[in-house]
Amino acid sequence: MRKLSELNGWDLTVALAELAEPVGNLVNDDTFWDCFVNCTKKGVGVKQNNAFRFLLQTYAQMIPLLLKEHQQDTFRILSVIEGKPIEEVMQMNGMELFEDIKEAFQTNLLPFFTKSRHSAKLGSSSH
């Protein structure tokens, strides 16, 4: 899996252009966004012994939205992040697909955009 934060400038601009529409579709879906925000808020401060329960509850809410309501968007996002044709991503083993969805959002998209937003704020405050 390619990390957005590790791509060179050219590859990053290509990836972001390809991600714009499917990520925009997710963000503009109020049901998905509300679920995402709610799960994110609940995750803050979750103790280790409750982490598994939290993950199962989160997946139980997020996965149906991603794979029923936004299946094409999800596969397009994974295609860009995996650096593979969408057809290849669609043929992935089911467990590998779930793991890659989790990794794409949890360790790739969220940190990249959160870090980018934080860096932009830091950069703008120094002027």
Side-chain angles (χ1 to χ4, degrees):
M1 182 168 289
R2 305 182 312 169
K3 286 195 174 251
L4 294 176
S5 60
E6 296 172 356
L7 295 178
N8 67 36
W10 179 261
D11 291 340
L12 179 62
T13 59
V14 170
L16 291 176
E18 292 176 13
L19 287 170
E21 184 180 0
V23 169
N25 291 339
L26 293 176
V27 172
N28 287 320
D29 178 339
D30 291 337
T31 302
F32 177 83
W33 186 250
D34 291 345
C35 179
F36 172 77
V37 169
N38 189 32
C39 289
T40 304
K41 285 179 185 176
K42 284 182 182 177
V44 174
V46 170
K47 296 196 185 308
Q48 183 68 30
N49 61 345
N50 291 325
F52 185 69
R53 182 177 184 187
F54 169 73
L55 287 173
L56 289 178
Q57 289 171 336
T58 300
Y59 289 148
Q61 293 173 30
M62 298 290 285
I63 294 295
L65 289 171
L66 288 171
L67 297 181
K68 286 183 181 179
E69 304 300 323
H70 291 283
Q71 185 179 44
Q72 192 66 24
D73 294 324
T74 302
F75 283 117
R76 287 175 63 198
I77 290 167
L78 285 177
S79 173
V80 172
I81 291 176
E82 295 277 340
K84 298 177 183 175
I86 195 167
E87 296 80 16
E88 189 175 329
V89 173
M90 293 171 75
Q91 296 301 317
M92 290 171 62
N93 170 287
M95 292 307 294
E96 182 183 2
L97 176 68
F98 286 130
E99 184 62 32
D100 283 3
I101 289 171
K102 179 186 83 165
E103 188 174 339
F105 284 88
Q106 189 175 44
T107 63
N108 206 336
L109 290 174
L110 293 177
F112 176 80
F113 287 109
T114 303
K115 185 176 182 180
S116 296
R117 185 182 60 176
H118 180 67
S119 297
K121 285 182 181 178
L122 289 176
S124 65
S125 65
S126 64
H127 295 293

